Amino acid sequence: LQISDNVRVRPERYSIIPVPNPFVVPGGRFREIYYWDSFFIIKGLLASHMYVTVRGMIENMQYLIETRARTGPPKQQNHFQVRLRTKRQPYLLSEPLTAPTTYLVRPCLLHGHERSWNLWKKLLPTLRKEMAFFQANRSVIMEGWPGPLYRYRVVTDSPRPESYREDIESAAHLHEEADKQRLWGDIAAAAESGRDFSSRWFGVTGPFAGKLASTRTSEIVPVDLNAIICGNLQLMGDLYDAIGDIDGSKWCAQSADLMKQTIHQVLWNETAGCWFDYDIKNDQHIRMFSDTNFFPMYTKATHATFNSERVVDYLRVTGVLEFPGGVPSSLVASGEQWDFPNAWAPTMWILIEGLRLNGQKEIALQITEKWVRKNFNMWRASGGKMYEKYNVVSACYKIIGGGGEYEMQEGFGWTNGVLLDLLVTYGNQLTWSPAEECECCVLDCICLV
């Protein structure tokens, strides 16, 4: 899509923020750029050699950060809507800068090394500014920690504009305005995480346990966010090295090393052999399976003695490797879309890639085989539709994902991007036969009755 000139001339008439370059949207009801969606969409664009579009989308992100920064702290990286200006998804802007090397093209985003070099130098101050936002607004440290970690946190005095009625209803049991505002902020912070909604953010005790009304996102230190920030520090350090900025490289290396140490001490559970979100209110791990537990493997946020066999053992013990369509987001059937039995392309990709990068290529291939087959067979059964999420527990080709605040969306940007990337990596190892059929569909499927 391309923003109309009318938006630039009269921006006060529109809710969307004008950006300079064309971009690719997720699809369905999502008609604007979303921050971490774009990373996975870019994966597909790179696989399709659409480097000009990739560069333009990255420059759009930079434009947004710089434009917002001129009027106060960097805001609204959830997506390009003014009404969502207080929420900030996990920042993956630094990641696409190095992604093209995966495809054995020259280390650039467009044409030629010189233009790539200039882009790196142009973007590094923006990446540093983005990091400064998280340090100033999302960091938390407790006694005994080697250094700070990060959480999703939104301060607001009102419900989400896009879900006003739902948030009013969720806070109806609260009588003090301060308590309502805290809940609205935690609901907005859950949306900021990109996982809206999941039992991961809900309380587990009291009359509203497991429901949106118990959301407590700001009390949780999430594995995924901290792994992403640690990984970005390392990538920024590589870029500083590339342009010869020794001080910048040293700062990034020291910051990343401190984060690795803190992630190990606070989020790693030696008994389970996995990372877990941390409950800062109750000072303990949240011992639940989540597909976000494995982000440190992908972002190289692991500790020096890390053994990936421990994580594989944990995956086997939980039983999540036994489902026919892939690995579910959680094992909690809450009715929310980021919970059982759904799985989503971005976290599936990060789990697969994390396993592959840490020597677990066989397990990575097994999960890839299930996920690609699920995508392809449902594409065939639906007459050519790709979905935002999938039910990976059912082997039926007609059962799609569900749950959450809206109907299943088709399109779909990150699903397409991840699938293309997996085909680039694993295409010659995957198997499929035209004779492969869904047993229950052949027998006049009753799954939808």
Side-chain angles (χ1 to χ4, degrees):
L1 298 179
Q2 174 78 59
I3 297 294
S4 167
D5 288 338
N6 293 334
V7 181
R8 307 180 201 285
V9 175
R10 300 298 298 272
E12 71 278 3
R13 293 187 175 185
Y14 300 89
S15 64
I16 197 165
I17 299 172
V19 291
N21 302 311
F23 51 88
V24 178
V25 300
R29 73 198 292 260
F30 303 108
R31 305 300 298 166
E32 54 279 310
I33 295 179
Y34 286 75
Y35 201 18
W36 78 311
D37 290 63
S38 294
F39 168 69
F40 299 99
I41 290 172
I42 282 172
K43 286 290 183 184
L45 296 176
L46 290 171
S48 304
H49 305 289
M50 296 177 65
Y51 307 126
V52 175
T53 305
V54 169
R55 182 179 181 125
M57 289 178 66
I58 292 173
E59 289 176 342
N60 284 342
M61 301 292 185
Q62 181 188 29
Y63 171 84
L64 181 64
I65 294 170
E66 296 295 342
T67 302
R68 297 296 98 186
R70 285 199 294 270
T71 58
K75 299 176 181 177
Q76 196 264 320
Q77 213 54 34
N78 181 289
H79 73 28
F80 283 32
Q81 283 281 1
V82 174
R83 61 186 169 82
L84 298 183
R85 64 184 180 274
T86 61
K87 298 192 285 292
R88 198 172 194 84
Q89 283 187 338
Y91 76 105
L92 290 162
L93 180 55
S94 59
E95 184 73 27
L97 294 177
T98 56
T101 58
T102 305
Y103 296 91
L104 303 179
V105 301
R106 299 170 73 182
C108 62
L109 291 175
L110 192 50
H111 306 294
H113 181 72
E114 182 178 354
R115 297 191 71 172
S116 174
W117 189 274
N118 291 335
L119 181 62
W120 290 351
K121 290 192 290 186
K122 178 183 174 183
L123 282 174
L124 269 168
T126 303
L127 299 177
R128 190 69 176 261
K129 191 174 295 182
E130 182 84 331
M131 184 68 224
F133 172 88
F134 277 88
Q135 290 176 315
N137 298 280
R138 300 293 188 266
S139 64
V140 59
I141 188 168
M142 296 182 68
E143 185 177 354
W145 291 9
L149 292 176
Y150 299 86
R151 58 180 169 169
Y152 297 109
R153 181 173 178 267
V154 172
V155 177
T156 184
D157 59 2
S158 61
R160 293 171 295 159
E162 71 274 18
S163 300
Y164 192 90
R165 177 179 57 81
E166 291 88 343
D167 288 2
I168 288 290
E169 292 173 352
S170 294
H173 65 290
L174 299 172
H175 303 293
E176 298 295 330
E177 190 64 20
D179 292 334
K180 292 178 183 287
Q181 292 177 5
R182 179 204 56 76
L183 176 61
W184 292 332
D186 278 336
I187 290 174
E192 175 180 70
S193 77
R195 296 173 70 89
D196 45 338
F197 290 98
S198 164
S199 58
R200 181 185 183 201
W201 309 124
F202 299 161
V204 295
T205 60
F208 297 97
K211 300 182 184 300
L212 195 62
S214 68
T215 304
R216 59 189 195 102
T217 315
S218 61
E219 297 177 355
I220 297 170
V221 176
V223 173
D224 48 343
L225 175 61
N226 285 281
I228 288 170
I229 291 177
C230 185
N232 280 344
L233 285 167
Q234 295 173 77
L235 287 171
M236 288 168 60
D238 291 342
L239 296 179
Y240 276 123
D241 271 342
I243 65 171
D245 187 331
I246 304 303
D247 290 338
S249 175
K250 183 181 296 185
W251 177 82
C252 288
Q254 291 173 344
S255 299
D257 286 345
L258 182 61
M259 274 208 76
K260 287 183 182 180
Q261 183 182 349
T262 310
I263 287 171
H264 182 210
Q265 178 175 318
V266 178
L267 303 180
W268 175 257
N269 187 289
E270 183 63 26
T271 302
C274 190
W275 299 271
F276 293 110
D277 294 344
Y278 198 81
D279 183 338
I280 55 178
K281 181 179 180 180
N282 296 303
D283 196 20
Q284 63 185 15
H285 283 140
I286 301 174
R287 290 282 297 268
M288 66 176 288
F289 172 84
S290 174
D291 57 0
T292 54
N293 290 347
F294 313 101
F295 274 52
M297 291 197 298
Y298 168 63
T299 64
K300 301 179 182 178
T302 56
H303 44 281
T305 59
F306 172 67
N307 180 356
S308 60
E309 288 290 344
R310 298 293 312 281
V311 169
V312 173
D313 289 343
Y314 173 76
L315 289 168
R316 290 194 175 109
V317 167
T318 59
V320 297
L321 298 178
E322 304 304 316
F323 297 113
V327 176
S329 292
S330 80
L331 294 175
V332 179
S334 68
E336 299 294 345
Q337 63 176 352
W338 285 93
D339 275 320
F340 189 88
N342 293 335
W344 298 70
T347 41
M348 191 68 65
W349 184 88
I350 286 176
L351 172 59
I352 291 168
E353 190 69 0
L355 289 167
R356 185 182 71 85
L357 293 173
N358 286 271
Q360 300 296 334
K361 295 182 179 180
E362 183 178 345
I363 299 294
L365 177 59
Q366 290 174 12
I367 298 173
T368 300
E369 185 97 35
K370 291 180 178 182
W371 181 252
V372 172
R373 178 174 279 107
K374 181 73 174 181
N375 280 230
F376 180 65
N377 285 332
M378 290 198 66
W379 175 81
R380 285 205 312 155
S382 65
K385 295 178 181 178
M386 299 293 288
Y387 298 100
E388 63 170 346
K389 55 183 177 281
Y390 291 86
N391 179 326
V392 294
V393 176
S394 173
C396 179
Y397 298 167
K398 295 182 180 179
I399 296 295
I400 60 177
E405 295 183 310
Y406 56 83
E407 297 297 321
M408 167 66 80
Q409 299 299 298
E410 302 168 6
F412 194 80
W414 61 20
T415 307
N416 300 334
V418 164
L419 187 61
L420 286 169
D421 185 85
L422 291 176
L423 290 174
V424 168
T425 306
Y426 295 98
N428 62 350
Q429 302 176 66
L430 301 177
T431 59
W432 181 81
S433 168
E436 185 175 312
E437 296 287 353
C438 169
E439 293 181 7
C440 68
C441 292
V442 172
L443 299 174
D444 193 15
C445 179
I446 61 171
C447 294
L448 301 179
V449 176

